[in-house]
Amino acid sequence: MYKKLTYSVLSLFIVLFSTNATGQEIYYNDTDGHLIEVKNDLIKTESELVTLSWQPTKAFASPYIVTVWDADVCKDSIETNVASYVVNAKGIKKGHVGIRSINSGIRTAVKIEYNGAPFSALALLTTIALAFLSVALIYLLAKERKRRKAAEKEKDEISSPTRKTQKFDSVTVLFSDIQGFTKIAEHMNPEQLVDELDRYFIYFDELVDRYDVEKIKTIGDAYMCAGGVPSTDSANPIEVALVGLGMIAYVKERQAAAGGFWNIRVGLNTGPVISGALGHTKKIFDIWGDSVNTASRMESSGVPGEVNVSGDTYNKIADYFECEYRGKMPVKYKGEIDMYFVKRLKAEYAEVGSGHLPNKLLLSKIRMMKVEDMLNDFEKSLDELTGEKIFAERFERLRINCELICRKEQMGDRGLMMTKIALMYAYANSNCPKSARIEPAVLQKRLRKMRFEETDLEEIAKINNRIAQNKKADSHIEEVVYDSFSMIYNSKDIVKQIKDLYNCAAISEKHFSKKEWIKNQQHILDNLSLYTNSARELAEVQAPKQKEILEQIFKQF
């Protein structure tokens, strides 16, 4: 909107300024009596071919030069002929058009002079107002562009993690290949072949997007994807196995519906890889390593209509999938490797009547793994962002407190997951330097990418907002978060905990006052109370001893 409005005002400003500064446009009559605007045209008078060109002068009063390249032409003849052809089509209320020729000996130039009327007061004010408006709109447009670029950058940081070259310890790689595709291509109409292959790959793209798996590339009829890149994802073996089962299920549906004869083999392997982007004009993200080669061997050693996985992958998914052991199978350059067919999801983790669609219980467990990854990433980033190990150490202690209380309170996976998210947000925005703080919108986007339901996102936002305002606990989750922080005053290593708390505050607060900090700690201790029975049971140091220890610590400070 700003862009269109700015261009409109600038155009109006230019027209108004040009009209007032240079007078009216200058036209000439062609041989048919039509008025033609003077730009860079050739006109023919009764005896000469004359070039009219736009050439503004410093005073804007004489914007046109008429040039004749024959020095022998009579000056008077030129002036007479040109004057009869040049008119002011708009009409000049004040001022006049004059024709004046100059003979340099090389060429004869005819100058069309216009002495226009001066600016009127209204025109001057209007021009100035439009100029200011144009500047204001240009400023707003630049500001809007800056905001959009920042939003796009933020979006990229959330939805597209860094693709720099790095090593990942646990990545699950999937290869799929259509059985006998070369023979199919020889006997099938090319357009029909490409359409069918495209149909398969479009669905595969939907699968990898649904389960947060990274598509790597397609080579002919082969499709390659991987979980756990370009960011760490502990749930990646489960998610990639779900993609593999989804591929097999879709192919079977196509066979039943269209009587098709296409079938695919799918192979998976889990292990370390190196990832990075290659190329200059068109960078391509790719992965390399022995684990990738093994995944390819799992596909080629498989059976059409089955998901064939290595023993390394089986060990990570066995709790969630029903698998069939194939024995040790020979693999080129690898010797013999344990292989398994992934048949279906276990009943307790599958949607009713489906062997490949996960139910809410499994999706919740996957989200829990992703939340743990997010907490680990946050803890690692504290060292980089703050330059002090003490912040990460304190957060690790808070996570332990939180988990102990949640387990004793029997809050379940969802309760534990929601509480840990609230704990991370509270710690980042109240106990850490500004560089480590978490924006609410950034957190919401990351959780939405983890497929959190909108009701969960709203609850998390509400809890985070209340804790940020230090309001009294209004939910079980808030109670556990507050108790996780308060338990440092009840721990056996209270001396270390308070010293760490003091050092963190001294680093984080711009205008830190030791006296004010001690006074605040005494106030906290005077009003300290634990919300949950579990926290009270876990307390190792009680109130009388707390005050005695704190007084000794404060004297040291």
Side-chain angles (χ1 to χ4, degrees), residues 349-360:
Y349 296 121
E351 285 281 2
V352 178
S354 172
H356 68 281
L357 295 175
N359 60 13
K360 289 186 177 181

Side-chain angles (χ1 to χ4, degrees), residues 483 487 529-540 542:
D483 282 357
M487 280 182 65
S529 63
L530 297 171
Y531 285 98
T532 63
N533 290 328
S534 298
R536 285 189 284 271
E537 291 173 8
L538 291 167
E540 297 169 328
Q542 302 303 324

Side-chain angles (χ1 to χ4, degrees), residues 122-154:
L122 178 61
L124 179 61
L125 290 174
T126 304
T127 303
I128 293 173
L130 285 172
F132 277 113
L133 182 58
S134 298
V135 172
L137 287 173
I138 290 171
Y139 169 77
L140 290 174
L141 182 61
K143 190 174 181 180
E144 176 68 9
R145 283 178 177 172
K146 187 176 180 180
R147 186 194 67 78
R148 289 183 180 180
K149 284 183 178 180
E152 289 173 2
K153 182 179 179 182
E154 183 180 281

